[in-house]
Amino acid sequence: MAAGTSPDSAPGEVHAEVAARLATVGQSYTANRSSLVELMVHSDQPLSIPEVLERHPELAQSSVYRNLAVLEEAGVVLRIVTGDEFARFELAEAFTGHHHHHLICSQCGSVEDVTLPPSVEAIVVRELEGQARRRGFEPRGHQVDLIGHCADCR
Amino acid sequence: MAAGTSPDSAPGEVHAEVAARLATVGQSYTANRSSLVELMVHSDQPLSIPEVLERHPELAQSSVYRNLAVLEEAGVVLRIVTGDEFARFELAEAFTGHHHHHLICSQCGSVEDVTLPPSVEAIVVRELEGQARRRGFEPRGHQVDLIGHCADCR
DNA sequence: ATTTATGCAAATCGTTTGCAAACCT
DNA sequence: AGGTTTGCAAACGATTTGCATAAAT
């Protein structure tokens, strides 16, 4: 419940909250998992596994995959599947404190975060969810992404 | 150029247009490729390769992959990569005549099409593209998808 | 001491590709 | 014939998993 209530919780708060969430899934907050969370807290864009390993070569690839899966299951991280070769991971919105969308580069696969004005966000959500419900589809979330070329790939 | 100019071209038109597009990429419109296009014209939702093979068991799996790749390159079909195990393919918007979005079922992976009112569409696009350009990102397209449970999986 | 996480190597599985036969034109 | 597409089987590569060791409590 405390998670995400403050738009930008103190650094320590995040770890405490992650530990709590993991507990609800019967998992503990190990050093490796903490490394991953710490990494994502300080990253301004979703990371692929190779990028994670680049920054933490001491971690075993399989453990990174496995721990990100655990963190995903606990609702701590979000897995982003683009057309790119690798999936990417970022802290769930409850932990970053702000709902956002993505600028996906179709050239290099990088992903940047952007936010939409609440008014715009509201209009889209209302419209989409209305349509969905009318067809018996139960909405759980949405993704609004822009595809294009990032500054580096123009 | 003619493609998509008519909101809903006659059935025959589509095949003629596809042939033309393939020609621009130096490819011919073979029977197998025609089967694929015909299938998508009559499908109300993006299809995965297993679904294609189910409906056309006489096709070789590798050829389906290969031909869908060719059609994608020619701008005839669009590849949709969800978190699901299989990628899905649908006719490009220039051929369906209408811009649309997706209702993605996170349970079974099925994808339905939905359209947004032009006014809503315009607001989102303007806002997103404005943000993107301000960051040196060159927009090429966008995807607005709703994630949830479809009527069958509720 | 028992349970859980880790790291290595091997397995999985959707997708891609090499190559020879079948098809055009 | 000359070039292209097809189908089979083998290769690829991101992700997952089995199993033995290392932590942790």
Side-chain angles (χ1 to χ4, degrees):
Chain A
M1 331 197 104
T5 47
S6 52
D8 227 303
S9 13
E13 296 287 308
V14 176
H15 290 286
E17 252 311 314
V18 169
R21 286 253 189 146
L22 282 172
T24 69
V25 196
Q27 296 280 357
S28 48
Y29 197 32
T30 67
N32 278 359
R33 290 169 188 176
S34 177
S35 290
L36 292 174
V37 170
E38 189 63 19
L39 194 56
M40 307 184 93
V41 166
H42 292 110
S43 173
D44 55 335
Q45 65 174 209
L47 301 168
S48 65
I49 265 85
E51 287 168 348
V52 169
L53 293 176
E54 218 168 75
R55 293 163 174 73
H56 281 277
E58 81 279 8
L59 296 176
Q61 187 194 48
S62 64
S63 294
V64 173
Y65 272 109
R66 213 151 12 190
N67 284 325
L68 284 174
V70 169
L71 289 169
E72 185 189 16
E73 201 181 345
V76 175
V77 311
L78 192 68
R79 178 192 303 244
I80 304 171
V81 180
T82 69
D84 196 34
E85 38 196 347
F86 296 100
R88 282 163 188 276
F89 300 82
E90 67 179 4
L91 270 194
E93 292 183 348
F95 291 87
T96 58
H98 60 284
H99 179 65
H100 63 269
H101 302 290
H102 300 121
L103 301 183
I104 302 174
C105 178
S106 57
Q107 192 90 64
C108 70
S110 74
V111 180
E112 284 180 72
D113 291 352
V114 277
T115 55
L116 240 37
S119 56
V120 175
E121 190 75 42
I123 293 174
V124 186
V125 170
R126 173 151 22 91
E127 180 60 35
L128 266 184
E129 300 200 340
Q131 291 230 18
R133 290 223 173 74
R134 231 166 287 142
R135 296 155 163 251
F137 186 96
E138 187 186 329
R140 290 285 168 88
H142 65 274
Q143 59 187 49
V144 177
D145 301 331
L146 203 61
I147 318 294
H149 289 340
C150 72
D152 292 342
C153 294
R154 310 244 340 226
Chain B
M1 324 207 116
T5 48
S6 53
D8 227 306
S9 12
E13 297 286 308
V14 177
H15 289 286
E17 252 312 313
V18 169
R21 286 254 190 149
L22 282 172
T24 71
V25 196
Q27 298 276 358
S28 48
Y29 198 31
T30 67
N32 278 359
R33 289 170 190 175
S34 178
S35 289
L36 292 175
V37 170
E38 190 62 20
L39 195 56
M40 306 183 94
V41 166
H42 292 110
S43 172
D44 55 334
Q45 65 173 208
L47 300 168
S48 66
I49 266 84
E51 287 168 346
V52 170
L53 294 175
E54 219 169 73
R55 292 163 175 74
H56 281 275
E58 80 280 8
L59 296 176
Q61 186 194 47
S62 64
S63 295
V64 174
Y65 272 110
R66 213 149 15 188
N67 284 326
L68 285 174
V70 169
L71 290 168
E72 184 189 17
E73 200 180 346
V76 175
V77 312
L78 192 68
R79 178 192 302 242
I80 303 171
V81 181
T82 69
D84 196 33
E85 39 196 348
F86 296 100
R88 282 163 188 276
F89 300 82
E90 69 179 2
L91 269 194
E93 292 182 348
F95 292 88
T96 59
H98 60 283
H99 179 65
H100 64 268
H101 301 290
H102 300 122
L103 301 183
I104 302 174
C105 177
S106 57
Q107 193 90 63
C108 70
S110 73
V111 180
E112 285 181 72
D113 291 351
V114 277
T115 55
L116 241 36
S119 56
V120 175
E121 190 75 40
I123 293 173
V124 185
V125 171
R126 174 152 20 91
E127 180 60 35
L128 265 184
E129 299 199 340
Q131 291 230 18
R133 291 223 173 74
R134 232 167 288 141
R135 297 157 165 248
F137 186 96
E138 187 187 328
R140 291 283 170 90
H142 65 275
Q143 59 186 49
V144 176
D145 301 332
L146 204 61
I147 319 295
H149 289 340
C150 72
D152 291 342
C153 295
R154 305 213 28 192

